[in-house]
Amino acid sequence: MQIGQVIRQYRKEQDMTQEEMANRLGVTAPAVNKWEKGSSMPDITLLAPIARLLGISLDTLLSFREELTREEIQDIIYKLNTMLREQSFGEAFAYVKEEIAQYPNCEYLILEAAVLLNAERIKMKSADKSSIEDDYDAVINGWFAEALKSEKEQIRTMAADALFAFHLNDKQYEKAEECLTYYSEQNPERKFQQARIYSETGRTKEAYQTYEGLLLSMYQMLELLFHSIGALAAKEDNMEKVRMMADKQSGLAELFEMGEYHRISGRLELAVMKKDVEATITIMKQLLASIDDINHFAKSALFEHMAFREVRPEFAAQLREDLLKSFQDEETYGFLKGDSRWEALQ
């Protein structure tokens, strides 16, 4: 809201005429009228007296707000998006730059506007259009640089992601790599973007290794998620859900070429829940038989650029011993009591 609109609104709330306000401030009624119409501005020395007369703060008088609501931000971004489609880049840029000048501390407005403008400038540069000037780049990148200082991780990461895309598109690989420092070490996106830099700069082996490492990490995370969901379903005696999660674990192991041990390990819990003696004994034997090939994935072409240690005999022996010990748990496997095949495993 413009200052004239604020003056008019609060003057009326005070049931005060323009003449009364003018007399109180020592100015003319036409001067007050011009303020309210927006054709002139009050002298700076009158701002505090006007605020006191209207019973409002200077921030209210000047319509200062550090933040906008999400709805207000989305309205601005929607208009910006429309202008980018229907008008020139320069006109859209000028519009949102003026809005940001009104709310210079509104991080989400600055970031979302910069992301939208960034996507458009990359698209136009890729199409070899000359209407994107260096001045635009300097301002947009400046907005991102400010966002990188935010206390909010989401804002820092979004800014780093956009800057990374811009620098990668411009083949400024060192600057692109600098953006990755704003991602947490645990963020897989950081490794993915690093692999893209390796690929773009001819470091093919490093790119393969990084991508393959991400693949293996994704398998481990997904396998853990399926197992955890299955365990949760088991507590509720939801056999259908447990079966589905066991199938997912098995299919996942096949997809990632993890080998027999990983393919069947998720099915043991289902067999135990169903107290299926034949299935439980069969899976136990299969697990013990496949221990020596537990690192089957190391032979897969999916991970051919990664270096894996050989499974040492003592490790396999320890794993076999641990499995046999777990199979002796009567609380879990008591339903097998009397079966000679189970007893032979003890």
Side-chain angles (χ1 to χ4, degrees):
M1 195 185 302
Q2 298 297 318
I3 188 171
Q5 295 172 298
V6 176
I7 291 172
R8 178 180 175 82
Q9 175 185 327
Y10 286 97
R11 176 181 63 77
K12 284 182 170 292
E13 288 183 10
Q14 297 279 357
D15 290 324
M16 189 186 304
T17 65
Q18 290 183 345
E19 289 78 9
E20 288 172 334
M21 183 174 186
N23 290 334
R24 299 278 295 273
L25 294 170
V27 298
T28 65
V32 175
N33 184 263
K34 287 181 180 179
W35 297 344
E36 294 187 358
K37 286 184 175 179
S39 55
S40 70
M41 295 280 286
D43 188 273
I44 192 170
T45 60
L46 287 173
L47 294 180
I50 290 171
R52 285 195 292 269
L53 178 61
L54 298 177
I56 60 177
S57 68
L58 275 173
D59 282 352
T60 300
L61 178 63
L62 299 173
S63 297
F64 174 80
R65 281 188 295 161
E66 187 169 329
E67 289 292 347
L68 295 164
T69 65
R70 289 302 300 172
E71 291 74 18
E72 289 171 327
I73 292 172
Q74 290 309 308
D75 286 344
I76 294 171
I77 296 303
Y78 178 81
K79 182 174 179 180
L80 173 62
N81 193 33
T82 301
M83 291 182 72
L84 285 170
R85 291 197 312 270
E86 300 176 355
Q87 301 180 41
S88 71
F89 185 91
E91 289 172 313
F93 176 85
Y95 157 72
V96 82
K97 186 179 180 183
E98 184 176 336
E99 291 292 330
I100 288 172
Q102 297 291 319
Y103 302 98
N105 295 321
C106 186
E107 293 182 330
Y108 283 105
L109 171 62
I110 294 170
L111 178 63
E112 292 185 30
V115 167
L116 195 55
L117 289 169
N118 183 58
E120 184 67 17
R121 67 174 170 167
I122 288 176
K123 182 171 71 176
M124 294 181 74
K125 284 186 175 185
S126 297
D128 292 327
K129 294 183 179 179
S130 59
S131 57
I132 303 298
E133 301 172 4
D134 290 341
D135 288 346
Y136 297 141
D137 288 347
V139 174
I140 296 170
N141 288 349
W143 288 336
F144 283 133
E146 286 301 311
L148 290 174
K149 301 174 186 175
S150 174
E151 294 181 359
K152 302 180 181 73
E153 183 179 356
Q154 180 188 24
I155 288 179
R156 294 197 306 272
T157 302
M158 286 178 65
D161 193 49
L163 271 178
F164 175 88
F166 172 75
H167 292 314
L168 191 70
N169 186 70
D170 269 12
K171 304 188 185 306
Q172 299 175 6
Y173 301 116
E174 288 187 10
K175 289 184 177 181
E177 201 157 6
E178 287 173 10
C179 295
L180 300 184
T181 61
Y182 291 93
Y183 295 77
S184 72
E185 292 284 352
Q186 290 73 36
N187 189 342
E189 187 71 14
R190 177 172 180 162
K191 290 183 178 180
F192 178 74
Q193 302 291 35
Q194 183 66 68
R196 291 181 65 192
I197 293 176
Y198 287 149
S199 179
E200 291 280 342
T201 54
R203 289 175 282 180
T204 305
K205 181 179 179 181
E206 290 91 336
Y208 271 126
Q209 288 174 334
T210 307
Y211 282 136
E212 291 171 9
L214 279 170
L215 267 183
L216 189 56
S217 296
M218 287 176 66
Y219 165 78
Q220 292 165 341
M221 175 56 71
L222 288 171
E223 197 278 336
L224 178 61
L225 285 172
F226 287 141
H227 174 79
S228 299
I229 293 171
L232 190 61
K235 289 181 180 179
E236 299 179 324
D237 290 324
N238 186 343
M239 296 297 295
E240 181 58 28
K241 190 84 168 181
V242 174
R243 184 199 62 74
M244 180 172 70
M245 291 303 107
D247 287 344
K248 296 297 183 186
Q249 283 179 268
S250 180
L252 188 70
E254 288 188 17
L255 177 65
F256 283 80
E257 301 180 13
M258 300 303 292
E260 183 70 3
Y261 184 91
H262 298 280
R263 188 185 69 79
I264 62 174
S265 60
R267 298 194 176 279
L268 182 60
E269 189 169 3
L270 176 63
V272 170
M273 278 191 68
K274 294 170 68 175
K275 291 185 169 44
D276 186 329
V277 173
E278 291 301 319
T280 301
I281 294 293
T282 298
I283 294 170
M284 284 178 168
K285 289 182 176 180
Q286 288 175 329
L287 286 172
L288 291 168
S290 59
I291 284 176
D292 290 333
D293 196 34
I294 195 170
N295 269 19
H296 176 85
F297 57 88
K299 307 169 188 174
S300 168
L302 282 175
F303 311 108
E304 64 183 332
H305 296 88
M306 296 181 68
F308 297 101
R309 294 180 181 178
E310 291 287 333
V311 177
R312 300 175 65 178
E314 52 267 36
F315 172 81
Q318 184 62 54
L319 179 57
R320 182 175 284 101
E321 183 180 331
D322 291 342
L323 269 179
L324 287 170
K325 189 178 295 184
S326 71
F327 293 161
Q328 294 168 18
D329 180 14
E330 289 198 14
E331 184 177 347
T332 304
Y333 299 104
F335 68 95
L336 296 175
K337 189 171 288 188
D339 191 294
S340 59
R341 295 169 297 176
W342 177 61
E343 292 170 355
L345 296 176
Q346 299 187 50

